[in-house]
């Protein structure tokens, strides 16, 4: 096999081997038949095998599918001591979010080994539609980021909302005292290659904000938010960051969070998204509650 197969895909193969039906597998795993077909397509691409043959009596697994099902059982028995069949729910919780959030969440959960061992971080998607597809198909359990379009199968809840700060290294030579527009224009900036959804209710204020954003002296363009924060910590580059995140980073990195001038004041909203079928799963509820309590206390 050219690549490793994700445990969620193995779980689908294991369920289908046991049920012999795409519709039954979808019902057991509480996803759509289309999600099962999507997972099988991924598995077939990785294994270069059809895996199942459609017959009059159901989906017949070939030797590769049977081997993968047995591997899934072995992995679960080794990790959890048992396999509860297709409905086994001891799989890791996959979280898709920005790298800087991954860093902060990892440090937050690091003292709780029971939770840390359950988490599996996944690189974020740039495309909103792809984020939704991964949630619908349960490739991702929890998506943390900007708000996604409404979807009946996805629960959406606000994690935090707040203003923004200018993140810069400690003792930055240009940033002593009040942060002004002149200082904003003098500084070198790190620009995120992703779209950052800063919002406000005032149309003219938003226009002025984006005018000033376009006047930045860009030194680096990056797709990785943690790399951007590190650049700010160890160079004279600066960047805008949600206030809650910036304040957390000041406790982890040699950086300071500066209040921007009024012309640069905007709001950032961060949302949690997860499949509706996971709403009653205890581990998902525990992690969501911990995250919400964590940001509420800041």
């Amino acid at each position: 096999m050219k690549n490793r197969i994700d445990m969620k895909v193995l779980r689908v193969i294991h369920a289908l081997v046991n049920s012999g039906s795409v519709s039954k597998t979808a019902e057991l795993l509480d996803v759509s038949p289309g999600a099962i077909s999507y997972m099988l397509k991924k598995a077939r691409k990785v294994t270069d095998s059809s895996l199942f043959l459609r017959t009059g009596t159901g989906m017949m697994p070939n030797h590769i599918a049977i081997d993968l099902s047995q591997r899934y059982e072995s992995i679960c028995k080794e990790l959890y001591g048992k396999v509860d069949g297709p409905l086994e729910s001891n799989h890791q919780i996959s979280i898709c979010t920005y790298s800087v959030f991954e860093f902060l969440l990892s440090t937050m959960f690091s003292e709780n080994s029971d939770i840390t061992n359950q988490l599996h971080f996944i690189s974020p998607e740039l495309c909103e539609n792809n984020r939704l597809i991964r949630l619908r198909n349960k490739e991702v359990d929890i998506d943390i980021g900007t708000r996604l379009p409404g979807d009946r199968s996805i629960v959406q809840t606000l994690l935090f909302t707040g203003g923004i700060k200018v993140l810069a290294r400690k003792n930055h030579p240009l940033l002593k005292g009040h942060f002004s527009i002149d200082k904003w224009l003098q500084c070198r900036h790190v620009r995120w290659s992703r779209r950052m959804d800063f919002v406000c209710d005032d149309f003219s204020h938003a226009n002025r904000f984006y005018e000033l954003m376009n006047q930045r002296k860009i030194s680096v363009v990056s797709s990785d938010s943690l790399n951007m924060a590190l650049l700010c910590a160890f160079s004279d580059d600066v960047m805008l960051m949600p206030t809650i995140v910036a304040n957390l980073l000041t406790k982890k990195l040699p950086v300071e969070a500066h209040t921007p001038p009024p012309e640069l004041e905007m709001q950032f909203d961060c949302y949690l998204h997860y499949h509706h079928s996971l709403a009653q799963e205890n581990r998902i509820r525990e992690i969501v509650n911990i995250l919400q309590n964590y940001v509420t206390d800041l």
Side-chain angles (χ1 to χ4, degrees):
M1 297 179 193
K2 294 179 290 187
N3 298 293
R4 292 182 298 174
I5 298 183
D6 170 306
M7 276 291 283
K8 294 179 185 296
V9 177
L10 284 178
R11 188 178 185 222
V12 167
I13 293 170
H14 176 70
L16 188 52
V17 166
N18 283 274
S19 72
S21 164
V22 169
S23 59
K24 286 181 181 178
T25 298
E27 185 179 348
L28 286 166
L29 301 182
D30 201 6
V31 295
S32 68
I36 300 301
S37 298
Y38 172 84
M39 291 289 205
L40 287 177
K41 184 177 179 181
K42 288 185 65 176
R44 285 166 176 152
K45 185 176 181 181
V46 172
T47 61
D48 287 325
S49 168
S50 61
L51 296 175
F52 293 87
L53 175 65
R54 192 180 297 276
T55 71
T57 57
M59 300 291 282
M60 180 181 294
N62 65 15
H63 70 282
I64 295 177
I66 292 171
D67 178 62
L68 291 173
S69 176
Q70 291 172 346
R71 289 191 196 184
Y72 177 80
E73 287 189 357
S74 297
I75 292 169
C76 289
K77 286 177 181 176
E78 183 177 344
L79 292 176
Y80 313 114
K82 63 178 181 177
V83 176
D84 298 325
L87 288 174
E88 179 274 316
S89 61
N90 288 320
H91 64 279
Q92 287 184 313
I93 302 297
S94 57
I95 298 179
C96 179
T97 189
Y98 313 125
S99 59
V100 70
F101 284 10
E102 180 179 331
F103 166 66
L104 292 171
L105 294 180
S106 298
T107 56
M108 181 185 78
F109 285 124
S110 62
E111 295 181 2
N112 190 332
S113 59
D114 289 340
I115 292 179
T116 305
N117 292 337
Q118 297 177 32
L119 301 183
H120 174 211
F121 288 102
I122 297 177
S123 299
E125 285 277 359
L126 294 174
C127 172
E128 287 185 346
N129 188 51
N130 288 342
R131 288 170 63 193
L132 278 173
I133 288 172
R134 292 169 84 173
L135 284 164
R136 286 193 207 111
N137 295 333
K138 293 190 177 178
E139 288 183 89
V140 168
D141 293 313
I142 298 174
D143 175 285
I144 304 174
T146 53
R147 186 173 189 172
L148 289 172
D151 187 291
R152 287 183 298 175
S153 65
I154 306 303
V155 176
Q156 186 178 90
T157 182
L158 183 65
L159 178 60
F160 68 80
T161 184
I164 57 177
K165 295 282 190 178
V166 178
L167 194 72
R169 72 175 177 87
K170 289 185 175 181
N171 301 316
H172 191 293
L174 292 178
L175 302 187
K176 296 177 181 177
H178 177 68
F179 193 101
S180 64
I181 292 296
D182 286 341
K183 291 180 181 179
W184 170 263
L185 297 174
Q186 290 176 52
C187 284
R188 298 182 311 174
H189 296 257
V190 183
R191 182 172 70 82
W192 202 14
S193 59
R194 296 171 62 97
R195 181 171 63 95
M196 197 66 171
D197 289 340
F198 296 127
V199 297
C200 76
D201 296 329
D202 187 324
F203 178 77
S204 59
H205 179 85
N207 281 342
R208 177 56 175 155
F209 172 81
Y210 284 108
E211 282 180 11
L212 291 168
M213 291 290 280
N214 290 330
Q215 292 173 24
R216 289 175 296 174
K217 296 177 182 177
I218 306 297
S219 62
V220 177
V221 178
S222 175
S223 62
D224 189 295
S225 55
L226 181 57
N227 282 346
M228 295 169 67
L230 289 171
L231 274 168
C232 292
F234 299 104
S235 75
D236 286 338
D237 293 339
V238 303
M239 68 178 290
L240 289 179
M241 185 73 78
T243 298
I244 286 178
V245 179
N247 290 343
L248 286 171
L249 287 173
T250 61
K251 300 174 184 178
K252 307 293 181 183
L253 298 173
V255 292
E256 294 177 332
H258 297 266
T259 300
E263 295 90 337
L264 290 170
E265 290 178 356
M266 292 287 274
Q267 180 173 299
F268 178 80
D269 298 332
C270 182
Y271 285 82
L272 284 168
H273 308 86
Y274 50 92
H275 197 279
H276 74 86
S277 66
L278 301 177
Q280 300 306 314
E281 186 170 316
N282 288 334
R283 291 181 308 145
I284 295 291
R285 292 169 66 182
E286 179 185 11
I287 289 171
V288 169
N289 286 335
I290 289 172
L291 291 173
Q292 290 177 324
N293 290 335
Y294 182 60
V295 297
T296 300
D297 292 338
L298 294 175

